[in-house]
Amino acid sequence: MCVKPELGAAIASGVAALGSLVVAFLMYRSRPLAVRSVEKHSEELRQFLQAWYLELSRKGFTAKYSPGYELSTKFVIEEHALFDDIAQHLPSEVKLLEDWQQFKNGMRDYSQDCVSLWEQIQSDMQKATGLRYDYDQYKQRSEIGTINHQFINKVYEESLNLASEIGAKEIEKLSHKEIRDYEDGLCLRIGGLNVAFTSIEAQANLAFEVLALTLGNLSKDGTRESNYVSQLKQVLKQIERLQTQKDEMLSKMQQLQLISIFPGECKYLKWSKK
């Protein structure tokens, strides 16, 4: 039988490739088990670092706040079997876990600052209007004698706009108010939103005046309301620091994934020797 030169060359190439694979496999198997265990564990650590990198890269920060919302400082990666183990394999000059804890503390602190400011605005507005705060923004019907989420949010959001230096003149948007009949009382509407509910028209007018005065005072130095803006400026600085910390950690994780064999010994490597 005559074999074409092209086919013969292809067969010879395939046999050579197969031979190379067999030799490589035999060489791999001939190495000590401990060496293979270290190589395998190093690959697992690189995969772990990649998963950590991806989860952290998706984490964002915002100074916006709504009741019941608090920035979570929980990460799925912390439940990974190698999360604690990575400490045994980091180069001495890499303080990734220390940076991580500092980062999480910063997230918790700025989130709590947002909560505290919201609660401060809520308390101030209740005292000024004489109306209770209706905390449940999802109710279809609000109770008479209350201000709601939308009322507080107008103050908080405009404070954040001013802190971000993108503030609009919210006071101009309040030039028109509506007081409508609402069940057995009255409803104050601003910008198409129901913001306060009362049985007394004078109290509805007072609620409007309080909101208008508060928004007008946000940009005036020395007023109580300007402190809302100052506090949110500090929150934005915290967020900027967190973003820097996040970027630095992501960079470290990328660099660590370039390590071919990780240093150190852990319980997994010790167990593999038994």
Side-chain angles (χ1 to χ4, degrees):
M1 182 177 67
C2 180
V3 179
K4 294 183 178 180
E6 296 84 354
L7 180 58
I11 293 173
S13 177
V15 170
L18 179 60
S20 297
L21 287 173
V22 171
V23 170
F25 176 73
L26 292 174
M27 289 179 65
Y28 172 78
R29 290 300 302 269
S30 68
R31 286 178 299 172
L33 177 61
V35 174
R36 284 185 275 150
S37 297
V38 170
E39 290 175 340
K40 180 177 182 296
H41 194 52
S42 292
E43 177 58 28
E44 291 169 343
L45 290 170
R46 284 191 290 272
Q47 293 174 1
F48 161 76
L49 285 164
Q50 177 64 8
W52 193 357
Y53 176 93
L54 291 174
E55 184 174 7
L56 177 58
S57 65
R58 291 191 292 264
K59 194 69 173 180
F61 316 106
T62 178
K64 293 184 177 181
Y65 175 75
S66 294
Y69 168 80
E70 189 167 353
L71 184 69
S72 175
T73 59
K74 293 182 178 180
F75 289 79
V76 174
I77 197 66
E78 292 178 320
E79 300 175 5
H80 196 290
L82 295 181
F83 183 79
D84 293 328
D85 182 68
I86 192 68
Q88 308 301 320
H89 302 285
L90 293 175
S92 58
E93 66 273 18
V94 178
K95 308 298 181 184
L96 184 58
L97 290 176
E98 291 87 339
D99 294 342
W100 177 253
Q101 191 56 54
Q102 184 180 15
F103 173 75
K104 288 188 61 181
N105 290 342
M107 287 178 57
R108 183 198 61 232
D109 291 345
Y110 105 76
S111 179
Q112 289 178 347
D113 287 346
C114 292
V115 174
S116 296
L117 177 58
W118 179 280
E119 292 176 346
Q120 179 185 340
I121 295 173
Q122 172 189 324
S123 177
D124 290 344
M125 295 303 97
Q126 286 184 115
K127 291 176 182 176
T129 62
L131 299 171
R132 291 184 300 103
Y133 172 62
D134 183 1
Y135 67 91
D136 191 347
Q137 60 175 303
Y138 303 107
K139 284 183 178 178
Q140 292 184 350
R141 297 183 178 182
S142 294
E143 297 179 13
I144 297 299
T146 63
I147 51 177
N148 66 3
H149 166 80
Q150 303 294 351
F151 192 104
I152 309 302
N153 196 53
K154 277 189 172 292
V155 178
Y156 188 98
E157 287 288 327
E158 181 61 12
S159 298
L160 181 56
N161 287 339
L162 290 168
S164 307
E165 299 181 353
I166 58 171
K169 292 183 178 179
E170 185 70 33
I171 187 64
E172 295 180 0
K173 300 178 184 179
L174 302 184
S175 58
H176 178 67
K177 69 176 184 290
E178 297 178 79
I179 298 178
R180 295 184 174 184
D181 290 336
Y182 177 82
E183 295 185 352
D184 55 346
L186 301 170
C187 169
L188 171 64
R189 287 173 58 84
I190 295 175
L193 299 173
N194 299 336
V195 300
F197 308 87
T198 177
S199 57
I200 305 172
E201 185 173 359
Q203 198 167 34
N205 285 319
L206 174 62
F208 173 81
E209 291 169 6
V210 166
L211 185 55
L213 180 62
T214 299
L215 295 174
N217 283 344
L218 290 175
S219 58
K220 296 178 181 178
D221 292 339
T223 62
R224 179 196 63 195
E225 293 84 358
S226 66
N227 289 329
Y228 305 157
V229 180
S230 298
Q231 290 179 56
L232 281 170
K233 284 182 178 179
Q234 294 304 312
V235 166
L236 293 175
K237 287 181 181 178
Q238 289 174 284
I239 288 176
E240 186 176 350
R241 286 194 294 270
L242 283 172
Q243 186 61 52
T244 299
Q245 292 173 336
K246 171 184 170 180
D247 292 341
E248 290 174 350
M249 284 190 293
L250 290 174
S251 177
K252 287 181 181 178
M253 290 174 190
Q254 284 183 313
Q255 294 174 35
L256 288 169
Q257 289 178 64
L258 298 177
I259 296 176
S260 55
I261 299 296
F262 281 83
E265 188 173 50
C266 63
K267 62 183 180 182
Y268 301 113
L269 292 178
K270 291 177 181 177
W271 289 347
S272 69
K273 296 177 181 179
K274 294 181 178 180

